[in-house]
Amino acid sequence: MAFSLIHKSPYEADNPLESSLTEAFRLLEPELRPPFPLTICTEAEYFNLNRAILYGILSEAHYAKVHFKHLHGIVTDGYCFFTSLVCKVVDELYAKVVESVKVQLVYVCLELVDVSAVGVDGLLVALLRQIRGGDFSESNLWLCSRLVDVFTGKWECLVEEQPMVLSSALYVFLRVLSDHCRVCLNPKLNVLKEKEIEFCVRVFRDQFHLCLRIGRDLIRLLQDLVHVPEFQDIWKDLLSRSKDVSQLYRTRTCSRYFLLRITPEMETHLRFLLTQVKLGSQTRYQIWFGRKFLNVSEKETVVIDIVRFICCAHHPSNDVLLSNVTPRWVIVGWLLKCCTKNHVEANAKLALFYDWLFFDEGVDNIMNIEPAILLMVNSVPKYIHMTHNLLEFLFLLVDHYDIDRKDLILKGVSCALDVLKRKGVVQSFDVLTCCDALSPFLKERLVKMLSW
């Protein structure tokens, strides 16, 4: 009986990807033992041999080096197909693979970095996406630790050949550090935190230009770490470079960074919810999603990442916008209600409004700011407390987020409101400014902002 790469119940259907790797290994197993045949493969044979070798590496750890030597001898495409296979395994199977296969996947990644395989940057990103926010399980912390070791151990190689993947790693480890630094009594976690901090500080000190590539969300992540001594000097250095801060604020963060904090499985379910589920039928899907991905209080920090993903990385088509599919603002409203901790709720609201603060019509996408305004407008009058809380939070950000650059933020929010009205996202702000249930102070602030 072949070694199973994944955990599955007795009645679960075979996974097509795992089956293709297993069948290739069964068919070609005699050819995977030295001496290796010297025949030239057809394209189909080459692809199948790649599948068989990958299965061998993942299932026979004691024989992995031999399998890799075989791969090095037959490769004709710069490892492109092999690397794409590994990426598929990580994206589609990682949540189900047995622990020994997880170990082998990291080993494969290290080997492919060493040979500068085509697409190895995509593999590193795929593994980074499997680090789950707010998850303190041994398996998840192990993956964090191993990937920090990969990026630290292969530093020179990555700086030279794959520098942009370092900015992806920086984004991920800054984000998970904010979770890890809230837990103080776990010795294993303390060791991991030290490694994560050391890596992030090294990127800031040695490759600052890569940090700037992240854009404005770099500051959003850093502000959660200002209490960590190692980041205090970095924060001071950054603030002393006033030009860099203003430039960062004006640089929209690319959507690929937000995908880094959403596992492929989570992304699939969210996109289904936002493209296929009719408004009014979403509750049972929300309950299922919550049970699967937000089932313990520590995991609710991932809400921050989901809100950012929904605003900036999932932009529905016009057909979806004109249909009765559940709109993004409904899901965002539900996510905010899932927050039980004040700091998580505040960071989720910041994620929702962040692009408002620096909005520039020539740089930013109106779809990034649409969910917040529609959530406020559509919560009147039934959920007026939601409208009140969001509007109050927006004005708190305007007044206090960055006092030294308050004019920049005022300009950004004013521009956002203007574009939302001009582009027809809202027909009028009267629903807010004339709402009797809203406090006079908030309405007065809004009217003043609209005329700024």
Side-chain angles (χ1 to χ4, degrees), residues 27 36 55 66 80 102 106-107 128 142 168 174 182 187 196 246 281 314 343 369 414 426:
L27 179 66
F36 303 122
Y55 179 89
V66 175
C80 182
K102 291 179 180 179
V106 176
Y107 165 72
L128 285 169
W142 172 85
S168 296
L174 285 176
R182 292 185 185 278
E196 290 170 338
S246 297
S281 302
H314 179 81
H343 75 272
I369 60 174
S414 178
V426 289

Side-chain angles (χ1 to χ4, degrees), residues 44 86 174 204 232 279 293 303 312 319 353 387 402 419-420:
V86 185
L174 285 176
F204 275 107
Q232 287 171 0
L279 182 60
F293 298 111
V303 167
C312 306
D319 288 343
F353 280 119
T387 307
D402 188 337
V419 170
L420 288 166

Side-chain angles (χ1 to χ4, degrees), residues 131 144 171-181 196 261:
I131 295 175
C144 288
Y171 186 94
V172 169
F173 289 119
L174 285 176
R175 182 65 192 87
V176 298
L177 263 171
S178 66
D179 291 339
H180 295 169
C181 287
E196 290 170 338
R261 299 313 310 125

Side-chain angles (χ1 to χ4, degrees), residues 299-349:
K299 287 186 178 180
E300 74 178 49
T301 59
V302 79
V303 167
I304 301 161
D305 303 308
I306 298 173
V307 170
R308 208 77 187 106
F309 163 79
I310 290 173
C311 290
C312 306
H314 179 81
H315 292 168
S317 65
N318 286 333
D319 288 343
V320 171
L321 289 171
L322 295 172
S323 71
N324 63 342
V325 168
T326 304
R328 295 184 299 162
W329 65 266
V330 170
I331 303 304
V332 170
W334 164 67
L335 287 167
L336 292 178
K337 290 177 183 176
C338 290
C339 299
T340 62
K341 298 184 177 73
N342 290 337
H343 75 272
V344 176
E345 183 181 0
N347 275 326
K349 289 177 183 175

